[in-house]
Amino acid sequence: MTASSSTKLRVTVWNEFRHERHSKEVQKHYPEGIHKTIAGFLGEAGLEVRTATLDEPEHGLTQEVLDSTDVLTWWGHMAHGDVSDEIVERVYKRVLDGMGLIVLHSGHFSKIFRKLMGTTCDLKWRESGDRERLWVVAPGHPITEGLGDYFEIEEEEMYGEHFDIPAPETLVFISWFTGGEVFRSGACYTRGRGKIFYFRPGHETLPTYHNKDVQRVIVNGVHWAAPTPGLPRVFGNTPALEGSK
């Protein structure tokens, strides 16, 4: 079933769910896990949402789950290496076939994002309580709907350039931090038939996913990344359209 034949977009929210089980500082903001917070505001936006976490069988990402997912959101940090290569390949194929992917914050180092980008996806970082100002540099883009020229997060982890990613097809946000750094914080790509949006904010010890502007961006990103209905792609040996003379 495609998104066009369903009454609601079907979103799977994936999270390591490791920090929240071991850190009281993280539990303070996300007592049921980051995935539950994200799933909550996506559900309130009218989307059909389920969650999946690293320590579930097959990381919660069975073929059946992925085949019935229009958009997958991904948050990971401390356990990127624990994600099975088999599951990464399964997600990769679904993206190429048209499933949308929203990669959040430290998911830049996830196996799936690095595989799709083909680069290290490395960057500079600092935890020092910087204020972050996210400037909209693609006004009119669907992901920016409902935002002004910029929005701010009072305290966030700093990510700084150089960010080792391919040049985005569309750059939606550039962040400025009070330490002086800038960062490409909202980057859009296509791979095969799938659309990918990387969105920077979301440090686990801070209440970023309770910020209404951050929530708005993620909801907009899900709608933007939703599969576009169309015929399956055809490859391989193909007969001529026209008869031989």
Side-chain angles (χ1 to χ4, degrees):
M1 182 168 60
T2 64
S4 62
S5 61
S6 176
T7 56
K8 293 183 178 181
L9 283 179
R10 299 162 303 170
V11 184
T12 298
V13 177
W14 192 88
N15 176 28
E16 279 180 358
F17 195 36
R18 291 275 181 88
H19 286 289
E20 302 93 316
R21 293 175 9 223
H22 304 294
S23 168
K24 290 184 178 180
E25 189 177 6
V26 179
Q27 291 169 4
K28 178 174 65 175
H29 301 299
Y30 306 106
E32 297 182 276
I34 288 171
H35 55 298
K36 290 291 188 179
T37 297
I38 294 173
F41 66 74
L42 291 177
E44 290 172 2
L47 301 167
E48 182 179 318
V49 187
R50 66 181 149 207
T51 63
T53 58
L54 178 63
D55 293 322
E56 296 176 35
E58 300 183 64
H59 308 327
L61 299 175
T62 65
Q63 191 64 58
E64 181 181 6
V65 165
L66 290 174
D67 285 344
S68 59
T69 296
D70 296 314
V71 180
L72 174 67
T73 74
W74 192 281
W75 195 100
H77 184 206
M78 66 185 296
H80 297 307
D82 292 349
V83 178
S84 159
D85 291 342
E86 178 183 356
I87 303 303
V88 173
E89 185 65 23
R90 187 182 293 171
V91 174
Y92 178 76
K93 289 178 178 178
R94 277 291 293 130
V95 172
L96 297 186
D97 286 341
M99 182 184 73
L101 178 66
I102 311 295
V103 177
L104 299 169
H105 191 59
S106 46
H108 70 90
F109 260 156
S110 63
K111 288 183 178 181
I112 183 59
F113 190 61
R114 294 171 75 178
K115 182 178 179 70
L116 287 161
M117 296 297 104
T119 58
T120 70
C121 300
D122 211 342
L123 46 80
K124 298 183 181 76
W125 63 275
R126 179 180 63 248
E127 294 181 44
S128 56
D130 284 77
R131 186 172 80 256
E132 179 178 7
R133 181 176 299 146
L134 292 99
W135 287 96
V136 173
V137 294
H141 192 281
I143 291 175
T144 71
E145 183 178 352
L147 300 173
D149 290 340
Y150 66 89
F151 65 94
E152 292 188 347
I153 302 172
E154 283 303 310
E155 185 178 1
E156 248 293 357
E157 179 181 17
M158 186 283 293
Y159 280 7
E161 296 288 347
H162 176 60
F163 187 16
D164 187 22
I165 53 173
E169 294 166 24
T170 304
L171 181 61
V172 180
F173 300 110
I174 292 177
S175 287
W176 169 87
F177 295 88
T178 45
E181 295 84 3
V182 297
F183 191 77
R184 289 169 289 167
S185 286
C188 297
Y189 300 90
T190 54
R191 295 291 185 268
R193 291 186 63 188
K195 289 184 279 189
I196 302 158
F197 175 51
Y198 172 76
F199 186 46
R200 198 217 67 82
H203 188 56
E204 66 276 3
T205 63
L206 297 167
T208 302
Y209 292 119
H210 298 285
N211 180 292
K212 295 302 181 183
D213 288 318
V214 170
Q215 293 180 3
R216 182 188 300 272
V217 170
I218 296 172
V219 170
N220 289 348
V222 166
H223 284 284
W224 171 82
T228 302
L231 295 173
R233 299 181 300 164
V234 177
F235 303 107
N237 187 274
T238 305
L241 290 174
E242 307 295 339
S244 60
K245 295 183 179 178

